[in-house]
Amino acid sequence: MGLLSDPNRRRALTNLLTRLNTPLCIVCYLAGVAWFMGLAFEPFTLRTYMSENAMGSTMVEERFLAGERALVTAREFAAQKKKMGGMPVDWLVKAMQARGLEVFTQSFSRTLPFPDENKERYMVHGTNVYGILRAPRAPRTEALVLSAPCTPGSSNNQAVGLLLGLAQYFRGQMYWAKDIIFLVNEHDLIGMQAWLEGYHHTNTTGMSWTPLEGRGGSIQAALSLELSSDIITSLDLVLEGLNGQLPNLDLANLFYAFCQKIGVLCTIQGKLQRNDWDSAAGYSQAVQTMLLMVLKQASGRPWGDHGLFLRYHIEAASIRGINSFRQYKTDLTTVGKLLEGMFRKLNNLLERLHQSYFFYLLPSLSRFVSIGYYMPAFGLLAAILLLRALDLWVQLGSPAPGTEDGLVDGEQVRPTPFGPGVLSVLTPLIISHLTGVALYTLPIMAQQTAVEHFPVSETEAVVLTAIAIYTAGLALPHNTHSPCPSVRVLSGEGTEEGWRVLKLIAIFYMAVLLGCTALINFSLGFILALTLVPVAAFITPHVPRVLSALVMVLLSPGSTLLFSIFVYQELQEAPITLLEGWNLFLSVISQGILDHNLYGSLVYPLISLLVYPCWLLLWNILFWK
Amino acid sequence: MTAGRCTAALLAAVLVCGLTCASTAAAEEAITEEYESISNANEHVQAQDDYARSQKRREITEHDDDQNEPPPSSSSSSSSSSSSSSSPPSKDYFKEELVIRPLSSGDIYASFQFQTRWDTDFFAPGKKVSHYRLFPKSLGQLMSKFSVREMHVSFTQGYWRTMQWGQPFLPAPPGAELWVWFQDSVADVDGAWKELTNVLSGIFCASLNFIDSTNTVEPTASFKPLGVGNVTHQRFLRYAVLPREIVCTENLTPWKKLLPCGSKAGLAVLMKSEKLFHSSFLSLAVHIRPVCQDWGCKGTAWELRQTVNVVFDLHTTGQGKREWSFFKMFSRTLTEACPLATSSKVYIDVTDNPQGELFELNPAAPSLTQAVVLGDRRTYAVYDLMASGTFGLLRSLNVLLRWKTPGNFSTQVDMLRPLLHGERYVAGYGLQTGEIHTLIYNNHPYRAFPVLLLDIVPWYLRLYIHTLTVTSKSRENKPSYIHYQPSKDRLRPHLLEMLIQLPPNSVTEVTVQFERALLKWTEYTPDPNHGFYVGSSVISALVPSVVAMDTIFPESSYFVRVYTEPLLVNLPTPDFSMPYNVICLTCTVVAVGYGSLYNLLTRTFQVEEPSPGVVKRLANMIRYLRGVPLL
């Protein structure tokens, strides 16, 4: 710090930073992107390992043999489901009771803010059925959950069959130290949300449900099972939960360890791991897997029924059976053995899973990138904002270029630009935030009016209102410049210092916003930083207006979402046309709003209330007069 | 019939002492009328218990003695005690019994009770009791050293499932429970309690020494003395629960050593630890209390009851078959009674099978008896181990129950609806606050009754007592009596006692919010992420009986104590691992960096003149003195 206390050397450093500011920013950006892409390169990543001692060695022998019987149960369940035209509650209650469980039901209902066109539901009524296997040795203090969603149509019957088969098998064992809750939830996430809220007696989303009558203490871990075919070729592990939360890495390690032991193909993001990391194809596979994880995590929505458990500090994952055209097939007995093994390991836990990482990215199931490795990529991007802020600060401090000792003089000069400057930035700040509030509230509030006046459905009305408000925000900068000249003079608008102060504030705002977002949900923070930071760095009123405006719109949060959709589809190996992409874009927006209303996902409010206003500030600078 | 007469007399005696207790209680603390009835209830349970048991086990009178010659040593004991003025010499009896009850869930409930009674007074002035025959010396010495009037200790593994199993004979909370009434002569109760817990910890090989002021309370109403005596001020009562205590063979072995025959003969041979611990529920208990020596209650006798309550899960241990036998459950059979016992009997509950159409017992029971247990009339098949015919030709008794209707194990468990039932859970998420919900079910179709709820919450859950709500049928239910003792950090727990009237056929919900305290870093357990236990709350009540009982109890209610499940609560826990150190280190670095940066930003800089040399300064001083301008 002696370097900075010496005015001469300090001046030299500041000069260097201001002189080299643009090249430094470009270098930081490129380095950040390169660092991120390097994360998937195998020599730079760590091999996963089991941190939790209690789950360490895989000594137990799995004895589950009733796969065939589970299939029979599954068929019976399917027949009953077809007969009832929904969830066969009574049959399930009887089936669970016959397996020696304590059975309870919970009914719930929820009216969505607007119809969900993807799943075709609006007023949802349903029933969850769950049975508790009481541990002989524990006084109902801890529990594990195995859940299978009851979905309409012919999917997921095998999961329920296997769940019942496992219940029967587990009931005959003496070694359980934690209660095991077997849950069949209706209406996938809505049912799960109702059950979890009932279990913890909270109500965060305004759903109505009947209180639960049986509980098993604090839930330590949960697995959600999705199986739709009698035989499977591989098992896919889904980790991404609400708001980008991830379960402890040990849960993924446990799954991987048992897949290796039992000899089941296991994938993550539906991508099989390749062994040739040094070839281009191997690296590209790892990058694709990691990018998929980043995109899914950034979306902030639960990607399986497990996703809602994470809010309650319950480590959870979904296991999805995939039946493709591979040669190697696995039957239900093997899947049952895998689950038996996992549950016996979880049963051994002395503490909640906490030893391993909670923040990680997975380029494959056997390799992980921890928070310490991926954060520098974001840090490099965030450094650009700080560099620009420093540059602006110095510029604001030395109004007349060439004056000696800018900082000492700056002390005396500073009040001049700041007096009107602070006032001048207040107007755009407030107006852009009000736009954000409108974007957050109006789509749902105005859907009724929109439906009456335009020939659209409620869902379309919501989405289109959101897009309309978003676009209308772009017109605002012209209007924020008040026509009344007295106000303009008073607020000091239009001065050179005015936009600098505004930009300084916008840059700091963005740095704090993105920094906090990246701490909670790295993927979202990184993707936003990738597009917003260049805009923030280079926007001034003096750049060519039309071209810059085009670039800014292309790099706005809304367009980022659109690009992400295309990239996601590309990575899923299901490319789409522009029109399909646009339709998907609309449905993703409606899903985002629904996720916020139904499960409390925070991405929509974050974007509309904070990120979008921040971007509008930059837009304001571009059109500064 | 002698049994009936004796019971009535015993009952009268107990009721008398119960009334005296109640009146003193009323004098000491002016609480509501209902409260008194509850405090009486404790006496009732005793009466009830004695009543039921004495009906079951016919009699304890002298005519058994001819079978059981006391060993020669006993003559000396009787001679030594005959010096005291009491007309019968200081006698001691030992009785053992086993009650087996098939539960509606398909499980088997076996309840052992070993009762030792000694007609002596530990606290008679000028007399030191030093000769022990049947009564365990370790416990006797403990009683006299610490002036204990009554002691109840239990070790339990698993949780009693009221909804499936009904009411137990002797309820016990998961973990270890200890409650002790001291004599009113004890000046330093806390000191005696501390020493006593440490001694008991040694006797039972349990962690009772972890009982300290942070988990000890003095309940005002929930735990009244069960024996004779007139001290009812809670100053002499200490109650503590260790919900985390794990019961193991190391507790069973010292427990068995307290028996006169050890595990060598009598019913105790059935207690093989690998079978007992392979069960759904196991509770070991020791109860000591003073009882009346005779019907007139002229002198007190000491009664030691050792019980084992165990529930076997036939579903997992019996390969899905419903048949059971002694050998299958205990991997032993009975060959003899304890030679020191005056009575040794096995009772098997055959209430569901009055005509023998459902199942049959092999060998067939020599006799049947009826008793009212917990408000329900039960029929028992009795095997008297003292009778020579019981063991048959093989000299071994292996009672076997065979179902007449063949077929599979019906696991169709219909939930029972016990009249009183409680459960508890923690609501909310996150590590800052939470809410404890206690649900109390009154399943009686038309009778309302009051219950006493006792809640002990450790200090690290900071209860917000102003958020306490009691609701029944979605209406506020104001408790008629509330005793709340706030916690002191690191010193004592919260104690909350309430008397709540339960409307018929209702669920009463008691909620209270709490904040989770941040502990000091040395106060965390070695496994902080496991969570911290909150002991069971205790619900005590006089429950109206469904069975229309005959003449004796006009009120026809019986005392029930229900323990809820303990809670496991996570407290905010630092990450005691490598990342934690990294964070600490990073924060230090950031703090240093921030300090310097802040310093730079807030300081004004000026170029300092290079300091003048010594000569120049000297010259300047001279110039200053001379009044000449400085250099």
Side-chain angles (χ1 to χ4, degrees), chain B residues 506-525:
Chain B
S506 68
V507 186
T508 304
E509 187 166 23
V510 181
T511 64
V512 61
Q513 291 177 10
F514 64 85
E515 188 186 76
R516 300 163 204 243
L518 190 62
L519 301 186
K520 290 178 181 167
W521 69 280
T522 46
E523 286 168 345
Y524 286 97
T525 50

Side-chain angles (χ1 to χ4, degrees), chain B residues 42-61:
Chain B
N42 277 317
E43 270 68 47
H44 278 301
V45 69
Q46 180 46 42
Q48 179 72 44
D49 205 28
D50 273 348
Y51 172 66
R53 296 222 176 249
S54 56
Q55 271 217 341
K56 270 188 293 173
R57 74 178 92 93
R58 298 299 159 94
E59 211 25 76
I60 53 166
T61 42

